[in-house]
Amino acid sequence: MEDPDKKTEVVLLACGSFNPITNMHLRLFELAKDYFNETGKYKVIKGIISPVGDAYKKKGLISANHRVTMAKLATKNSDWVEVDDWESSQSEWLETLKVLRYHHQKLLSPDPTNSPQNAIPLTKPGRKRKQEPNRHDPVKKKNQSPDIKSVPQVKLLCGSDMLESFGIPNLWKLEDITEIVENHGLVCISRAGNNVQKFIYESDILWRHKNNIHLVEEWITNDISATKIRRALRRGQSIRYLVPDVVQAYIEKNNLYSPESEDRNAGVILAPLQKNASDSKN
């Protein structure tokens, strides 16, 4: 039998608008966890939902406060998926790579001032080579050798639309894409028959690191999207069974989505397009 201690621990990180969070967003985590468990090589220990901040400037994006609250309501009964509001609380838009780095660093050196669920000591002894001043590492067990598998890997969980967005000019920096697929890895949930493999084949960067891109086929297809949900709400149509009941109740109580909210940021250039286009000129 496979020794569970030899499995590589994985943390799944999903970044996005979650405007609002849907049942499909939650399904991505379950599909990815099943995939990794079935390989026998990995053990998924945590899922993290990180809603983007208001500075992203996406059309129709309601306040981060509401989006984070809805995500927390949606994951309240989950024993492994949680919501992190660090990204959403930043005053400026952050590149996805910086969010990945942040969560990776937290696993390497958990800050005791962080909230309890973020300060779980996931790093096993024997990994760290340098002794930092005033830092007392856990006592090393006898005959224990350093093992790269002892540090959980933070992998970016996404749908095929995010992966294919790598091809949109100025939306992503090439060096960011490279570091994401090389140092962290991607878990992409795609529908059967999707052209994701073709997209990877046509990208030299993705092809070079294709072994660190995990493609998970979604056999029980689901076409729920936040865009369609907002459209239904604007038209007074039911969204029951498309989002968790607690999320639907929160939306209705706070009257969150309307023609007016959908016009928010209309005509404003998306933060990454604005920043990357500006950087390319300099």
Side-chain angles (χ1 to χ4, degrees):
M1 282 183 67
E2 187 81 33
D3 182 355
D5 293 333
K6 294 294 182 184
K7 291 181 181 179
T8 303
E9 292 184 333
V10 170
V11 173
L12 300 169
L13 172 68
C15 298
S17 300
F18 301 100
N19 187 38
I21 191 167
T22 73
N23 286 340
M24 190 57 229
H25 289 132
L26 303 173
R27 278 294 296 160
L28 295 182
F29 283 93
E30 297 295 329
L31 290 163
K33 187 179 184 182
D34 282 348
Y35 163 85
F36 279 118
N37 287 346
E38 286 164 12
T39 66
K41 300 175 184 177
Y42 300 93
K43 179 186 178 186
V44 176
I45 59 170
K46 182 159 66 170
I48 301 171
I49 291 173
S50 179
V52 74
D54 294 339
Y56 186 52
K57 299 296 183 186
K58 187 174 183 179
K59 184 177 180 292
L61 190 68
I62 66 166
S63 78
N65 178 50
H66 285 310
R67 291 182 286 109
V68 168
T69 300
M70 287 188 285
K72 286 181 176 179
L73 287 169
T75 55
K76 191 175 181 181
N77 294 327
S78 175
D79 59 357
W80 69 283
V81 180
E82 63 188 42
V83 180
D84 189 283
D85 62 2
W86 177 78
E87 179 186 0
S88 66
S89 65
Q90 305 302 307
S91 57
E92 295 184 353
W93 167 76
L94 288 181
E95 292 91 340
T96 299
L97 175 58
K98 289 181 180 176
V99 184
L100 274 164
R101 284 177 183 166
Y102 168 80
H103 287 286
H104 175 69
Q105 189 57 42
K106 265 205 327 190
L107 294 174
L108 289 176
S109 52
D111 182 351
T113 62
N114 283 329
S115 57
Q117 72 265 31
N118 290 337
I120 299 169
L122 296 171
T123 308
K124 295 179 183 175
R127 171 59 181 158
K128 213 158 188 153
R129 297 293 180 98
K130 283 185 180 177
Q131 182 73 28
E132 296 176 16
N134 302 322
R135 177 182 287 280
H136 300 286
D137 285 342
V139 179
K140 188 176 177 181
K141 291 178 184 175
K142 217 174 186 182
N143 301 325
Q144 184 177 15
S145 59
D147 183 359
I148 196 164
K149 288 190 174 185
S150 66
V151 179
Q153 297 180 0
V154 183
K155 295 189 180 294
L156 184 63
L157 174 63
C158 66
S160 56
D161 53 343
M162 179 185 277
L163 181 70
E164 291 172 356
S165 77
F166 286 168
I168 299 173
N170 292 324
L171 190 61
W172 298 81
K173 288 188 282 191
L174 289 180
E175 57 265 36
D176 282 15
I177 296 172
T178 302
E179 188 172 330
I180 288 170
V181 292
E182 185 175 9
N183 294 355
H184 299 281
L186 276 173
V187 190
C188 178
I189 312 294
S190 66
R191 293 184 174 88
N194 197 289
N195 277 335
V196 173
Q197 286 180 314
K198 183 173 183 282
F199 183 81
I200 293 171
Y201 168 74
E202 291 174 350
S203 163
D204 287 343
I205 293 174
L206 299 181
W207 182 259
R208 195 178 309 128
H209 301 287
K210 64 182 183 295
N211 291 337
N212 211 16
I213 301 174
H214 303 267
L215 297 181
V216 184
E217 289 202 354
E218 177 203 349
W219 293 105
I220 305 174
T221 55
N222 189 329
D223 202 26
I224 298 173
S225 74
T227 302
K228 291 176 180 177
I229 284 170
R230 294 198 307 275
R231 183 181 299 138
L233 287 164
R234 291 198 307 274
R235 296 174 181 179
Q237 296 169 342
S238 170
I239 59 165
R240 193 166 189 199
Y241 309 121
L242 300 177
V243 300
D245 288 347
V246 284
V247 172
Q248 181 187 0
Y250 184 87
I251 290 171
E252 291 173 353
K253 180 183 176 184
N254 293 278
N255 194 26
L256 292 186
Y257 295 103
S258 63
E260 290 73 31
S261 71
E262 197 64 18
D263 281 339
R264 190 176 182 185
N265 297 324
V268 180
I269 299 172
L270 208 60
L273 292 174
Q274 198 170 343
K275 185 176 189 297
N276 296 335
S278 170
D279 290 349
S280 65
K281 288 177 184 176
N282 297 333

mmCIF file of all heavy atoms in Angstrom, residues 4 104 129 135 164 200 204 210 264:
data_model
loop_
_atom_site.group_PDB
_atom_site.id
_atom_site.type_symbol
_atom_site.label_atom_id
_atom_site.label_comp_id
_atom_site.label_asym_id
_atom_site.label_seq_id
_atom_site.Cartn_x
_atom_site.Cartn_y
_atom_site.Cartn_z
ATOM 1 N N PRO A 4 1.142 6.972 3.243
ATOM 2 C CA PRO A 4 0.576 8.317 3.210
ATOM 3 C C PRO A 4 1.598 9.395 3.541
ATOM 4 O O PRO A 4 1.480 10.528 3.102
ATOM 5 C CB PRO A 4 -0.549 8.274 4.250
ATOM 6 C CG PRO A 4 -0.270 7.083 5.098
ATOM 7 C CD PRO A 4 0.461 6.117 4.230
ATOM 8 N N HIS A 104 2.353 30.506 -0.264
ATOM 9 C CA HIS A 104 3.485 29.585 -0.166
ATOM 10 C C HIS A 104 4.362 29.978 1.020
ATOM 11 O O HIS A 104 4.783 29.126 1.814
ATOM 12 C CB HIS A 104 4.301 29.630 -1.461
ATOM 13 C CG HIS A 104 5.552 28.795 -1.414
ATOM 14 N ND1 HIS A 104 5.524 27.417 -1.379
ATOM 15 C CD2 HIS A 104 6.862 29.144 -1.369
ATOM 16 C CE1 HIS A 104 6.764 26.952 -1.325
ATOM 17 N NE2 HIS A 104 7.593 27.981 -1.312
ATOM 18 N N ARG A 129 16.713 24.877 5.949
ATOM 19 C CA ARG A 129 18.165 24.730 6.062
ATOM 20 C C ARG A 129 18.768 25.826 6.946
ATOM 21 O O ARG A 129 19.655 25.590 7.716
ATOM 22 C CB ARG A 129 18.802 24.802 4.665
ATOM 23 C CG ARG A 129 18.380 23.681 3.733
ATOM 24 C CD ARG A 129 18.914 22.360 4.223
ATOM 25 N NE ARG A 129 18.510 21.283 3.340
ATOM 26 C CZ ARG A 129 19.284 20.778 2.386
ATOM 27 N NH1 ARG A 129 20.475 21.273 2.179
ATOM 28 N NH2 ARG A 129 18.860 19.777 1.647
ATOM 29 N N ARG A 135 14.265 32.087 16.060
ATOM 30 C CA ARG A 135 13.266 31.130 15.599
ATOM 31 C C ARG A 135 13.661 29.738 16.093
ATOM 32 O O ARG A 135 14.769 29.286 15.881
ATOM 33 C CB ARG A 135 13.180 31.122 14.068
ATOM 34 C CG ARG A 135 12.196 30.069 13.576
ATOM 35 C CD ARG A 135 12.153 30.036 12.066
ATOM 36 N NE ARG A 135 11.462 31.180 11.528
ATOM 37 C CZ ARG A 135 10.135 31.291 11.468
ATOM 38 N NH1 ARG A 135 9.369 30.339 11.928
ATOM 39 N NH2 ARG A 135 9.578 32.358 10.947
ATOM 40 N N GLU A 164 -6.771 29.733 -20.639
ATOM 41 C CA GLU A 164 -6.745 30.301 -21.983
ATOM 42 C C GLU A 164 -6.567 31.817 -21.973
ATOM 43 O O GLU A 164 -6.153 32.407 -22.971
ATOM 44 C CB GLU A 164 -8.014 29.898 -22.733
ATOM 45 C CG GLU A 164 -8.039 28.398 -23.056
ATOM 46 C CD GLU A 164 -9.360 27.914 -23.636
ATOM 47 O OE1 GLU A 164 -10.293 28.731 -23.726
ATOM 48 O OE2 GLU A 164 -9.429 26.712 -23.983
ATOM 49 N N ILE A 200 -2.302 24.379 -24.692
ATOM 50 C CA ILE A 200 -1.006 24.115 -24.067
ATOM 51 C C ILE A 200 0.037 23.784 -25.139
ATOM 52 O O ILE A 200 1.170 24.273 -25.098
ATOM 53 C CB ILE A 200 -1.122 22.961 -23.038
ATOM 54 C CG1 ILE A 200 -1.989 23.400 -21.852
ATOM 55 C CG2 ILE A 200 0.257 22.501 -22.562
ATOM 56 C CD1 ILE A 200 -2.347 22.282 -20.897
ATOM 57 N N ASP A 204 4.623 27.768 -26.009
ATOM 58 C CA ASP A 204 5.942 27.221 -25.680
ATOM 59 C C ASP A 204 6.166 27.157 -24.169
ATOM 60 O O ASP A 204 6.720 26.183 -23.650
ATOM 61 C CB ASP A 204 7.045 28.071 -26.323
ATOM 62 C CG ASP A 204 7.123 27.868 -27.832
ATOM 63 O OD1 ASP A 204 6.567 26.865 -28.327
ATOM 64 O OD2 ASP A 204 7.733 28.708 -28.518
ATOM 65 N N LYS A 210 4.508 21.359 -19.079
ATOM 66 C CA LYS A 210 3.223 20.643 -19.138
ATOM 67 C C LYS A 210 3.078 19.591 -18.045
ATOM 68 O O LYS A 210 1.962 19.262 -17.642
ATOM 69 C CB LYS A 210 3.015 20.015 -20.515
ATOM 70 C CG LYS A 210 4.008 18.942 -20.921
ATOM 71 C CD LYS A 210 3.708 18.437 -22.327
ATOM 72 C CE LYS A 210 4.631 17.304 -22.739
ATOM 73 N NZ LYS A 210 6.055 17.716 -22.845
ATOM 74 N N ARG A 264 -21.228 49.095 -12.907
ATOM 75 C CA ARG A 264 -20.077 49.531 -12.127
ATOM 76 C C ARG A 264 -18.780 49.242 -12.896
ATOM 77 O O ARG A 264 -18.610 48.167 -13.466
ATOM 78 C CB ARG A 264 -20.054 48.807 -10.788
ATOM 79 C CG ARG A 264 -19.044 49.365 -9.818
ATOM 80 C CD ARG A 264 -19.149 48.667 -8.477
ATOM 81 N NE ARG A 264 -18.217 49.239 -7.524
ATOM 82 C CZ ARG A 264 -18.007 48.778 -6.300
ATOM 83 N NH1 ARG A 264 -18.705 47.747 -5.874
ATOM 84 N NH2 ARG A 264 -17.141 49.342 -5.491
#
